[in-house]
């Protein structure tokens, strides 16, 4: 069988590899503390589940219009306007998850040989998506700056040129938890305008922050026509398995991307879209409760690591933290899993060797247990 050059440019997902290994150990009876997962350990809010159930009962199970049902596109546009973005329902495509939104965006914007800039460490799928579109990557390393963008703006300036087609910005960030300052985003704007670059702003962790709220990149002067805002329901509303996300941008982008969307996924699941309206409009309390729980766990984990003398820049958002482990982070993570039965993700999977990503979407008891085990195994 012949496989395309594009698919052969892509590695299997490193996070998936760890999860599979952890599942194998569990199947053998091991008690694994899984700090590798990228999903909130909270149930979907009850009112959202009810809305989905009611929509299913009411027969909302057929195809919808390809870009999404009018009510959800309007609710999303309303939310985006509340964030300061000047979008109508026509500027939105609803997708089965933010991952699909990112995939469609990259496929729509990137040609063979186009240059795409990533800020490292970067979520694992960006690289694969760019490679699948035939693009070439230029990477800017934020690790020497404690994962902040503002002190790395000169390096970003060196990396960007008139040849750059696309820049991907993800704040709050997976895997670092960094939230980029307004000054950093203004710097991104200056470079994007100077070199006429389109920017994808992946804001999927927007609701999960512990300090100043992040500003949406498309609200900066000069960014409205060059920003694709991507968001989704997986993280803020604990809806990972429902598969619901979206992207929003200028109408000409929506028109072009809509072709790929209609020829590939047809539409997002009908009753899930109905539940999405409820999630956007009536979940403030559930989101606040979840973020409060994450905030406590973040404090707890930072204190524990600090008392063990482990360096880890403080995250301001999402539910991840990068801790410095060993030069060979891959081996460290394998040892952590095999010897301590603690699952983490090697930083090198995100372009940050020497670190491990810890997800604190787990109870304080289990997080504490994981730190104890890593200390006992001489891994911390
Ligand atoms: N973007 C980032 C940075 C993520 O971490 C994830 C999921 O882990 C996604 C996008 C995709 O989210 P989903 O497809 O579940 O909406």
């Amino acid at each position: 069988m012949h496989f395309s050059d594009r698919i052969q440019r892509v590695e299997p997902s490193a996070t998936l590899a760890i999860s599979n290994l952890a599942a194998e150990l569990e199947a053998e009876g091991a008690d694994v503390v899984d700090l590798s997962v990228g999903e909130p350990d909270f149930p979907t809010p009850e009112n959202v589940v009810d809305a989905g159930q009611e929509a299913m009962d009411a027969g909302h199970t057929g195809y919808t219009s390809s870009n999404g049902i009018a009510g959800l596109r309007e609710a999303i546009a309303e939310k985006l306007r509340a964030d300061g973005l000047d979008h109508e329902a026509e500027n939105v495509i609803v997708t089965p998850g933010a991952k699909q939104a990112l995939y469609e965006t990259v496929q729509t914007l990137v040609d063979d040989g186009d240059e795409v800039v990533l800020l490292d460490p970067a979520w694992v799928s960006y690289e694969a998506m760019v490679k699948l579109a035939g693009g070439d990557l230029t990477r800017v390393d934020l690790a020497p700056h404690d994962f902040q963008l503002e002190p790395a703006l000169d390096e970003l300036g060196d990396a960007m040129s008139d040849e750059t087609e696309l820049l991907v910005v993800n704040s709050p960030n997976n895997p670092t938890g960094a939230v980029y300052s307004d000054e950093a985003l203004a710097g991104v704007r200056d470079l994007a305008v100077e070199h006429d670059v389109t920017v994808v702003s992946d804001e999927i962790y927007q609701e999960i922050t512990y300090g100043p709220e992040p500003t949406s990149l498309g609200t900066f002067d000069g960014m409205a026509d060059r920003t694709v805002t991507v968001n989704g329901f997986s993280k803020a509303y604990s809806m990972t398995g429902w598969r619901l996300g979206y992207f929003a941008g200028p109408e000409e982008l929506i028109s072009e991307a809509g072709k790929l969307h209609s020829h590939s996924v047809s539409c997002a699941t009908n009753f899930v879209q109905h539940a999405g309206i409820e999630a956007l409009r009536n979940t403030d309390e559930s989101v606040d409760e979840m973020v409060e729980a994450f905030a406590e766990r973040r404090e707890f984990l930072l204190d524990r690591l600090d008392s063990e003398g482990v360096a880890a820049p403080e995250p301001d958002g999402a539910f991840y933290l990068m801790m410095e482990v060993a030069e060979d982070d891959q081996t460290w993570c394998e040892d952590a899993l095999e010897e301590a039965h603690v699952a983490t993700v090697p930083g090198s999977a995100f372009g940050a060797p020497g670190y491990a990503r810890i997800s604190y979407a787990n109870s304080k008891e289990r997080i504490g247990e994981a730190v104890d085990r890593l200390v006992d195994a001489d891994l911390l």
Side-chain angles (χ1 to χ4, degrees):
M1 192 178 287
H2 170 76
F3 295 106
S4 69
D5 290 344
R6 288 184 180 178
I7 201 69
Q8 291 184 70
R9 295 177 79 194
V10 173
E11 299 294 325
S13 159
T15 41
L16 210 62
I18 290 283
S19 300
N20 290 344
L21 249 168
E24 270 174 37
L25 281 171
E26 276 174 337
E28 289 164 13
D31 169 31
V32 175
V33 184
D34 196 349
L35 304 184
S36 74
V37 287
E39 66 179 326
D41 55 324
F42 292 87
T44 305
E46 223 174 282
N47 58 318
V48 177
V49 175
D50 290 346
Q53 189 74 56
E54 279 161 27
M56 211 186 321
D57 292 345
H60 293 299
T61 54
Y63 287 131
T64 70
S65 79
S66 179
N67 288 357
I69 58 173
L72 179 57
R73 289 174 86 199
E74 185 44 55
I76 291 168
E78 221 171 75
K79 178 235 175 301
L80 294 172
R81 285 196 295 272
D83 289 344
L85 294 159
D86 188 19
H87 283 322
E88 305 294 333
E90 292 68 34
N91 299 99
V92 175
I93 293 183
V94 176
T95 55
K99 191 178 270 187
Q100 180 69 22
L102 288 159
Y103 180 78
E104 291 180 13
T105 301
V106 172
Q107 282 290 330
T108 302
L109 295 172
V110 176
D111 265 326
D112 265 337
D114 278 352
E115 186 190 294
V116 178
V117 176
L118 292 186
L119 304 170
D120 274 341
W123 180 54
V124 290
S125 294
Y126 299 140
E127 174 178 337
M129 287 174 188
V130 171
K131 286 181 170 174
L132 284 168
D136 294 327
L137 289 153
T138 300
R139 318 188 70 129
V140 178
D141 188 10
L142 305 191
H145 305 289
D146 276 354
F147 308 126
Q148 286 300 326
L149 176 56
E150 202 180 327
L153 282 174
D154 283 347
E155 282 138 274
L156 181 59
D158 292 342
M160 285 173 70
S161 70
D162 292 350
E163 299 301 305
T164 308
E165 204 62 48
L166 191 69
L167 166 70
V168 181
V169 175
N170 168 218
S171 171
N173 184 271
N174 177 7
T176 67
V179 175
Y180 301 145
S181 63
D182 282 358
E183 289 73 16
L185 298 182
V188 166
R189 182 268 319 277
D190 293 345
L191 290 166
V193 170
E194 181 186 342
H195 298 297
D196 193 17
V197 169
T198 301
V199 184
V200 174
S201 183
D202 180 351
E203 303 182 0
I204 193 156
Y205 296 99
Q206 176 194 35
E207 307 286 339
I208 306 172
T209 56
Y210 315 107
E213 298 205 349
T215 308
S216 193
L217 187 55
T219 63
F220 283 77
D221 272 355
M223 289 306 285
D225 288 340
R226 60 177 73 255
T227 304
V228 186
T229 304
V230 176
N231 209 328
F233 295 70
S234 287
K235 317 291 178 175
Y237 314 111
S238 270
M239 292 176 71
T240 48
W242 294 67
R243 310 309 302 134
L244 193 61
Y246 58 89
F247 59 109
E251 265 184 63
E252 57 177 350
L253 166 92
I254 299 304
S255 160
E256 292 300 313
K259 295 190 275 186
L260 172 65
H261 184 72
S262 69
H263 286 302
S264 52
V265 300
S266 295
C267 61
T269 305
N270 191 334
F271 58 86
V272 169
Q273 294 187 55
H274 285 269
I277 300 174
E278 180 71 11
L280 280 175
R281 296 212 166 125
N282 293 312
T283 47
D284 285 357
E285 233 172 82
S286 325
V287 175
D288 285 351
E289 275 170 28
M290 180 181 74
V291 174
E292 222 168 276
F294 282 145
E296 269 182 37
R297 295 162 182 193
R298 167 185 170 275
E299 281 305 308
F300 175 76
L301 176 60
L302 282 168
D303 282 353
R304 284 297 319 265
L305 294 180
D306 187 48
S307 60
E308 300 301 339
V310 179
E314 247 185 58
D316 288 318
F319 39 78
Y320 309 107
L321 164 152
M322 290 283 266
M323 68 176 184
E324 244 179 289
V325 286
E327 206 177 317
D328 183 354
D329 54 295
Q330 182 74 35
T331 302
W332 187 93
C333 287
E334 282 165 17
D335 289 349
L337 190 52
E338 276 155 24
E339 293 168 26
H341 291 167
V342 174
T344 58
V345 185
S348 46
F350 307 97
Y355 291 86
R357 187 194 75 175
I358 307 284
S359 158
Y360 47 93
N362 211 323
S363 68
K364 275 203 272 192
E365 293 69 31
R366 296 294 277 171
I367 293 167
E369 167 78 24
V371 176
D372 289 343
R373 288 190 199 175
L374 292 171
V375 170
D376 287 349
D378 267 343
L379 286 161
L380 291 185

